[in-house]
Structures are given as structure tokens and as C-alpha cells.
Amino acid sequence: MLSAGKYIDWSAANVSMGPRQTVRRVVEDVVNAGARSGQLVLDAASKAELGGKIVDAFESGRVHEGILLFVEHANNLRARAALIRIMDSALLTLGVTVQGAREAWFAELSKLSERLEAGALPGSPRESPVRDAFRGITVPLAPATSEVLRRLALVEARFERSLETALCAPDPLKALERFTNELSLWALPDQSIMALLESFAERESFADVVKVFERAPESFRSYAAPKREYALALHLLGRNMEARSVLLGLVRQHDTDPVVAGLLGKLYKHEATEALAKGDLDAGRQCLIRAVASYQRGFAMDRTQLYPGVNVPSLLLALGRDKEAIAHARTILTLAELRSSYATGNFFDATAAIEMCALLRDEAGVHTWVERAVATASEPWQRRSAVGNLQRLAQTLDDKGRPSEALNQAIRSLSAIEASNPGEGRSAPNTNAGRMLSAVQDVTYRFEARHARRLTGNYQLAGIAHDVRVTPADLRFFTRIANEKGLDQLSDPGEVSKAIDVLIRQRFGTDALEESDGPAHQVFDQTMPGLARFMAAQQDSQTNVSADWLNGLGDCRQHAPTKMLLFEAWKRTRTDRLMSKLLDAHGADDKGRAAEIRAELFELARYEMRVMDALILNHAGGELIEEHTLTVLSTRKPPDANGEMRELDELRLADSFYHRVHALADGVLSVTAVPHGVTFEVPNLSADGRQLLLLPAPYSRDRSLPNPDFGQLEFRGVQVASPGWEQEVPTQGLDLAELHAYVRKASDPRS
């Protein structure tokens, strides 16, 4: 994929590459990337023949025919859409606008060829030479590439400083608007535009969200994540028909984010309210049916989340579909109880349980969950949203002649809270197991990857380590890996942990890497800083966990988050399937089967894969052996009388890196309280016969920070694949050996 002899040297003024050669190179990229991603099923001869036909069509001006030749080999609509994205990616990487290329591909590439012959560097920060390298688009292995990336990093750094200055102004919204008006959005990197959208959305300036989106380049506006922000802003501005049009477009593009289905359901529900207010009962009923269908579709996309499924039961009740409403309410109530069992104090978990208990006519349950909701931290907008849902249910129950005083009291209790409610806070149970769980959570961390996050503070060792970025796209990618490798067929968490170790160690070649002074680790230690220099990485540069997997290089700092995310992917898939079975059982009124599935769900919830940064010490003398990042498998005790799992049952080693030198793959850790924290005694002797002790490093904690995300893949702070990559890049990883060899050679002072 990365043969230096095949690439355009962006710095060479004497490069002679005519339009046909440029077109052929781009076409080779898109055909090869399509074949690698599985969207095109072609042998080598067929790929070459197809490429030649496309080049001929483009050269003779038959652009539309050339594109059709490419996409007609896709066997379904989703594959066809994926191929178009790959084609767009290749063009954007070369600095060719998508819209211009679709209108006249060959003419655009001819202009690019002239620029290349003149030795021109990209004229816009959007024209990154590695924009989609990890999607299979070629990278120019030349010093000028790093220079371009350095310039792009400076542009983005200047933007971030200016944005931060605006947000810290006395009137941040006015400063943000003034700053945005001075920008040329067409020249900004996608991440910067997304940061603007999110900044305005956080300040509820939805007119500005719409303005920024509509001014953004066409390629950015084609991404699903910005479209979701745009649709939500349109809805909140009362432009519901436009919002619905955007959301339906996302559905047609097979967007799998439940938020899209949830927003569409909300719009249908709003239309139903308007129709019923006008006395149009038939139209109102049809809108409610569409709302239910949309909310159900969203819940089916991810049954581990309450939204948007929490809206289904009350609407089914309003439609007179009482049996379905009860089945859904019982299922959602179990999910709310499951989520609340972690005792994290989520306000919407409690209010969802209130609503379900009221629908199921469990007035004692309503009172219990109201007490928890009042004791939980919440903001005014959260309470307004919850009260609105409860009021709609109360009206439905009144209309059916089944008023609920407990529900009405819940509405009054939540409405009476003024301003922000800090909640009452919860201390750990006053038991040894409770204190141990609290201590373990203090020195370890984990992610569900529901939102983009990054782990900060681990950029060190001359660029070998980097900040780790975890996003929903990463979770989808690792779910693909887990399911393709059959992890979804396993049910025992311990067996899953061992199976994940096999996958990770095969991908990263861990057997050889365990020897810290061995040749494999020396290659790693030379290549990683070389990649950082080539990509012009800054100190806070970020790399998606998936990008490390695709890159194929990893020591303990890559192994740990990879294992955590693979385990999370398995757990999420298994929970989702159990929730589906639970809904079926409730629908059939099979109480025995429902109880069995519920028990399985709560048993599964006891297990968490967590990451720990620790010092490995010699137990006998206390001397430091090395610093290490590892994973541990935490098991909580079953739920207590309040339905919460707040005590530690067991903590096991689950490291995917050290299996031979230090036996950290498995075994129960002994947790000991010390004056300023805890230590963990390793049950297994190291290869040299020493007893080991793990001392959590002082910086070990959940260091997650929000991170602008539009679905992109980042490697050393640079976008290397645009949205949609998680369904298209090969799960086995990429062969980047030539890139690795290039950066090692560039780092060698003798070269």
C-alpha cells in the first residue's frame, strides 16, 4: 500500500506526471481500497481491467459513466454508498473537491497535475496528504509530506488558541460569533468546524449551528455527525419540516446512530400533538404510529441505552396497544434498574424507572424512584424533560380512567426543585468490600465509548506514547472484530478475556515485544517516535485506539485500551441480545423465561474490564522493576437490597502484554489498603522467580476529556480516515511496513 516509488513527491518541482498518470493512480487507490474493504469482489486481473476502463471513461469526458463502472460492482446499496465515500476520500486527500470531481473528474485532476508539476504544496488546510491513508489511499513518502502536516498542525493549533480565547471572553457567545464570522470555513480542517458546531450547540445558540453548517464545505456537510447537530438545531428553531428532511436523508444513508431515530420519533410525536389539538384524530394516530416505529427502530440499534426506547411504552398505551406497552415497560424498567445498579447517580435512569413503574401501576416503585431522583444531581433542563414525559403519561392514564396519584406526586416533587440540584452524594458502604471497590475505581478507569473521549497525560518517552482517543466509531470497529472472531458466541467473561489476549498478541506480535531490550522492542522504540515526527505530532496529539490496531505497533500502552474496548464490545453485544430476548419473553408473558434472562443480565453487569497504570515492584525489597499499563477484570458482588452493586467480589489480572516475563495474564490480586491508597499483590512469580507487587501510579485515574468528533479516525493528531471508516477498513489491520521502514530510515542519523 505504501510503496514510495508509486507516489507523487509533493516537494519535487521536476516531477512529470500527466493527467492520465494522475487519474490512473487515483483510480488504482479507490479500486484497491474498495477491494480491501470487501465492497468490491474482484481478482487482480479484473481490478486492473476495471481501472483501465474507468480511466478511459474519465479521459474522454464520460465522468458519470466512469463512476457507474466503479459502483456497479457493489452488490448492495450500502456497499455502493461505501464505494462512493472511498472515491471521495481519494480525491479529498489529493486536494480535489468532491463536487468539482463529480462534475468533471478529469478536468479537476488535470488542474491538480499542473500544480504537482509546479511543485505546489496544498493551498488549503483541508488538503492533507494523509487525509484517508488508513482507508487505503496512498501516502507520499517524502519530507514534504511531513512539512505539509506540520503546517496543518500549526493552523489547527492557532485555531484552537483563538477558539479558547473566544470562549474565555466576558461574553463568550458574542466573541464566538465574531470569531466565526472572520473565518473562511472552506479552509478549516473538519475537526475545527466540528468544534465550532459543538461550541455553539453547548451554548444553545442553534441559529449559529445552522449558519456554520450551511457555510461549511460540501464534504463536511456530507458527514452524518454534523448533519445530526444540524437537524437538532433546526428542530429547536421550530423548522421541523427541514429537520425531518435531514433526518430522513440520514435514514436513507443507513445511519445507525439511535439519536437519529430518536429525533425523528420526537418530530412525529410533535406532529401528532399538533394534529390532535386540531381535532384531526386520524392524522394524530398515524403520526403516533410513525413515532413509535421510529423510537422502536432506535432502541433496536442499541438496547443497552434508555434513549430512545424509553419513549415507546407510553405511546403504545396512548394507541391502545396495552399489552405491548406493558411488555416494553417491563423491559425498559429492567434496563433502568440494570444501569442504576452501578450507583453512578444518573438522573434519567431514575426518571425512566418512575415512568415505567407508573405505567405498570406500581405506586410503591414510583415513590422509591422519586426519592432516588430527588437525591440525584440534575439540571433544570433535565427535570423539564423528565416532567414533560411524566405529564404526557399522566394525561394518557387520565384519558383511560386510570389516574395515578403517585405519578402526579412525582411530577410535583420534581417540579418543585429549583435551579441546579447537586444531589445528596453517596459514600462507599462501610464494609471492607465496599471500601475495596471504591479504592479500585479510584486507581483504574474504563470507557463505554458512548461519546468521544481521550485519555490525557501519557505523551512521553520521545513520542513513543501518545494520548489515546476512544470514540463510538472505535466501539463499532472493535465490535466488528469481536463478532468476526466469534467472541459473541462466548458467555464466560474469563474465557472472553483469554480469547481477546490471543487476538491482541497475534496482531501486535507481543511474544517478541515482552523482552524490553530485544530486537522487536528496539524496532518499536525507533518506529514510534519516527511516526510522531513524520506526522508532525504535537504534545497533545491523539490517536484512536483503532488506529493503533490498524498500525500494528503496540506496547502495553496500546494493549490495555485495546483489550478494554474489545471486552466492552463483547459485553455490549451480549447485553443487547439479552435485552432483545427479554422483550420477547415479556411480549409472550413468559415470566419464568424473563426472570432467567434478567438474572443473566445482572450477572453479566458484575464484570468490568478496567485499565490501571502501575509501578511493578519487587515485593521483597520494594525496588522498582518498571512502569506498566495493564488491564484488570473487576467483579462486583450481586445487587444489595437497594438493587446496587457497591462491593468488590474479586479483582483478577487480565493483562494482554506480559504473559511470560511477568505472569500477569490471570490470577486473583490481593488488595491491601496502605496509608495513601492500595497495593496489589501478584499471585504468580515472574520468570526470574521474583514475587511482584503492583503500586498504582499517582496519575492513575479516569482522565477522560470531551473531544470533538465527527466520526473521523486520528493517528498522531492527524485525520487518516474520514467518517464511515469503521465499516470499511479491514479488521485484520493494515500493512504499513513501508511507512514504518521509511520513518526509521529518516530517523537514522547515518541515512
Side-chain angles (χ1 to χ4, degrees), residues 95-371:
V96 178
T97 62
V98 174
Q99 185 175 0
R102 287 175 180 168
E103 293 171 356
W105 177 306
F106 187 71
E108 286 287 335
L109 287 172
S110 296
K111 295 176 186 176
L112 174 66
S113 177
E114 293 172 3
R115 288 172 54 204
L116 294 172
E117 289 178 12
L121 289 171
S124 162
R126 299 181 59 77
E127 299 175 21
S128 166
V130 299
R131 182 189 180 101
D132 266 297
F134 278 33
R135 215 187 203 127
I137 311 304
T138 51
V139 174
L141 297 179
T145 299
S146 191
E147 174 60 21
V148 172
L149 295 174
R150 187 186 68 81
R151 294 184 187 182
L152 300 186
L154 291 175
V155 168
E156 192 157 345
R158 282 197 296 270
F159 168 84
E160 290 175 357
R161 287 195 297 270
S162 299
L163 178 61
E164 185 176 351
T165 299
L167 296 178
C168 293
D171 188 338
L173 186 56
K174 278 191 177 180
L176 191 57
E177 289 173 342
R178 187 165 53 250
F179 169 58
T180 304
N181 289 335
E182 295 170 354
L183 293 171
S184 298
L185 296 189
W186 63 268
L188 282 180
D190 289 329
Q191 185 169 347
S192 299
I193 303 175
M194 194 67 197
L196 283 176
L197 279 182
E198 292 181 353
S199 297
F200 281 121
E202 288 169 3
R203 285 152 187 81
E204 300 185 5
S205 182
F206 300 112
D208 286 305
V209 171
V210 170
K211 188 185 302 182
V212 169
F213 180 86
E214 293 178 348
R215 284 179 53 202
E218 178 234 4
S219 58
F220 179 82
R221 288 185 280 113
S222 70
Y223 299 148
K227 280 185 179 179
R228 292 182 212 120
E229 292 282 356
Y230 180 52
L232 177 60
L234 288 171
H235 164 60
L236 293 171
L237 291 171
R239 296 163 61 177
N240 289 326
M241 294 300 292
E242 295 170 80
R244 187 170 70 169
S245 177
V246 174
L247 292 169
L248 289 173
L250 286 167
V251 171
R252 287 191 293 271
Q253 292 174 14
H254 307 286
D255 187 4
T256 57
D257 194 309
V259 170
V260 172
L263 286 174
L264 198 52
K266 185 177 182 181
L267 290 179
Y268 287 137
K269 186 165 63 174
H270 178 76
E271 290 175 13
T273 301
E274 290 186 334
L276 293 172
K278 295 175 183 177
D280 192 341
L281 300 183
D282 288 340
R285 182 175 179 82
Q286 290 304 312
C287 287
L288 280 181
I289 290 172
R290 285 195 289 270
V292 167
S294 189
Y295 283 136
Q296 286 178 320
R297 185 170 60 251
F299 185 52
M301 291 175 181
D302 186 357
R303 299 178 187 89
T304 68
Q305 296 295 295
L306 287 169
Y307 183 81
V310 68
N311 294 280
V312 172
S314 62
L315 295 184
L316 286 172
L317 192 67
L319 287 167
R321 294 156 60 178
D322 292 23
K323 183 179 178 181
E324 291 177 77
I326 290 171
H328 277 79
R330 288 172 175 165
T331 304
I332 297 295
L333 178 59
T334 296
L335 180 57
E337 291 170 339
L338 189 70
R339 290 166 54 87
S340 295
S341 68
Y342 280 95
T344 54
N346 185 296
F347 178 74
F348 284 128
D349 291 345
T351 57
I354 294 171
E355 187 174 350
M356 299 308 111
C357 286
L359 192 150
L360 295 169
R361 309 186 78 171
D362 177 6
E363 302 224 335
V366 171
H367 290 304
T368 297
W369 285 102
V370 167
E371 290 178 2

Side-chain angles (χ1 to χ4, degrees), residues 467-485:
D467 286 359
V468 176
R469 187 168 183 269
V470 185
T471 71
D474 286 300
L475 184 58
R476 289 191 290 271
F477 180 67
F478 280 107
T479 300
R480 275 181 64 202
I481 295 174
N483 293 346
E484 287 179 13
K485 298 300 182 180

Side-chain angles (χ1 to χ4, degrees), residues 464-466 468 504 508 524 528 543 545 548-549 553-563 629 656 716:
I464 291 177
H466 48 241
V468 176
I504 292 176
F508 290 127
F524 172 86
M528 292 298 273
T543 296
V545 180
D548 278 326
W549 175 272
L553 295 175
D555 66 359
C556 63
R557 285 155 294 204
Q558 284 76 39
H559 282 60
T562 299
K563 181 162 187 179
T629 300
S656 60
R716 293 312 179 102

